[in-house]
């Protein structure tokens, strides 16, 4: 296991190990299963960063659950632009069914607040959010996810689906930035 990795111009140090991440996801999966058993939820993975979280979480749930993907962006570079753009819409009917949004990390809460409100307007009877990581100190909107894997500080992180300019997503560990040289 690498204690440090270099991506582009930045050095990152080990922050959360794969074992810690997998354990947190197992706990989230158990809570979701207990809450959603028999309710026919639609799981929606939010691309791109959540792909590893989604894969790990779905492997812990029964095979008869429906999964689709969507993509939204509120970022320009490394800062939030304050406007949510829908890049890939949910292609399944959300009316009269519970939806569980699967997100990699929630910082300001803008995107998930926007998406949950929109799904309720479109007729979803219950909208819940599961996130692998939550940065509670960064929340700027009145939003709290239903399921949280790990709460973290407001550090710039990579790994387990999260990237720095396209690199680092495929790491099974999560690293935080050390410097920007």
């Amino acid at each position: 296991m690498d204690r440090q990795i270099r991506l582009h111009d930045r050095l990152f140090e080990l922050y959360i190990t794969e074992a810690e991440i997998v354990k947190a996801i197992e706990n989230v999966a158990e809570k979701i299963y207990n809450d959603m058993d028999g309710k026919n939820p639609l799981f929606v993975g939010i691309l791109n960063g959540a792909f590893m979280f989604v894969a790990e979480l779905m492997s812990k749930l029964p095979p008869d659950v429906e999964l689709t993907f969507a993509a939204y962006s509120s970022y320009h570079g490394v800062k939030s632009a304050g406007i949510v753009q829908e890049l890939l819409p949910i292609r399944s009917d959300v009316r009269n069914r519970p939806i569980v949004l699967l997100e990699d990390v929630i910082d300001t809460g803008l995107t998930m607040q926007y998406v949950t409100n929109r799904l309720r307007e479109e007729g979803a009877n219950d909208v819940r959010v599961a996130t692998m990581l939550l940065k509670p100190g960064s929340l700027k909107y009145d939003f709290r996810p239903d399921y949280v894997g790990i709460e973290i500080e407001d550090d710039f992180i990579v790994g387990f689906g999260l990237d720095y300019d396209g690199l680092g997503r495929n790491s099974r560990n999560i690293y935080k930035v050390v410097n920007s040289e």
Side-chain angles (χ1 to χ4, degrees):
M1 170 182 350
D2 294 328
R3 304 286 311 160
Q4 291 186 330
I5 59 173
R6 179 168 295 282
L7 303 173
H8 297 298
D9 60 337
R10 294 191 179 186
L11 185 64
F12 295 82
E13 65 185 8
L14 184 63
Y15 186 43
I16 306 170
T17 66
E18 175 183 5
E20 293 172 289
I21 298 164
V22 170
K23 180 64 178 160
I25 294 171
E26 287 172 352
N27 291 337
V28 168
E30 183 179 343
K31 290 174 186 169
I32 291 172
Y33 178 78
N34 290 335
D35 288 351
M36 293 290 142
D37 189 30
K39 296 183 179 177
N40 189 31
L42 172 64
F43 289 87
V44 180
I46 307 299
L47 297 172
N48 288 333
F51 80 97
M52 287 181 72
F53 171 55
V54 171
E56 191 69 37
L57 180 80
M58 297 309 283
S59 75
K60 311 294 184 214
L61 295 174
D64 64 344
V65 296
E66 186 178 350
L67 171 66
T68 190
F69 292 90
Y72 303 89
S73 177
S74 64
Y75 280 80
H76 180 70
V78 296
K79 298 287 183 196
S80 178
I83 299 169
V84 177
Q85 294 179 309
E86 184 176 53
L87 306 175
L88 175 66
I90 297 170
R91 295 186 180 142
S92 299
D93 189 2
V94 301
R95 289 175 293 171
N96 300 315
R97 71 185 296 195
I99 309 298
V100 180
L101 299 168
L102 306 174
E103 180 66 294
D104 55 352
V105 60
I106 294 176
D107 45 35
T108 67
L110 171 66
T111 302
M112 286 298 97
Q113 183 182 56
Y114 169 84
V115 176
T116 56
N117 289 341
R118 181 161 176 192
L119 289 170
R120 286 184 185 105
E121 289 170 3
E122 292 176 2
N125 65 11
D126 185 12
V127 181
R128 300 192 185 192
V129 175
T131 185
M132 180 174 66
L133 304 169
L134 174 66
K135 296 180 177 181
S138 298
L139 286 171
K140 294 183 178 164
Y141 296 87
D142 186 21
F143 177 81
R144 178 77 185 176
D146 302 278
Y147 311 99
V148 176
I150 301 171
E151 289 190 5
I152 63 171
E153 298 296 318
D154 189 20
D155 293 308
F156 185 73
I157 55 175
V158 299
F160 218 87
L162 300 152
D163 75 304
Y164 172 49
D165 283 344
L167 300 181
R169 281 192 200 280
N170 58 323
S171 173
R172 297 284 301 170
N173 299 300
I174 292 177
Y175 295 82
K176 68 178 178 178
V177 69
V178 173
N179 63 28
S180 58
E181 293 180 9

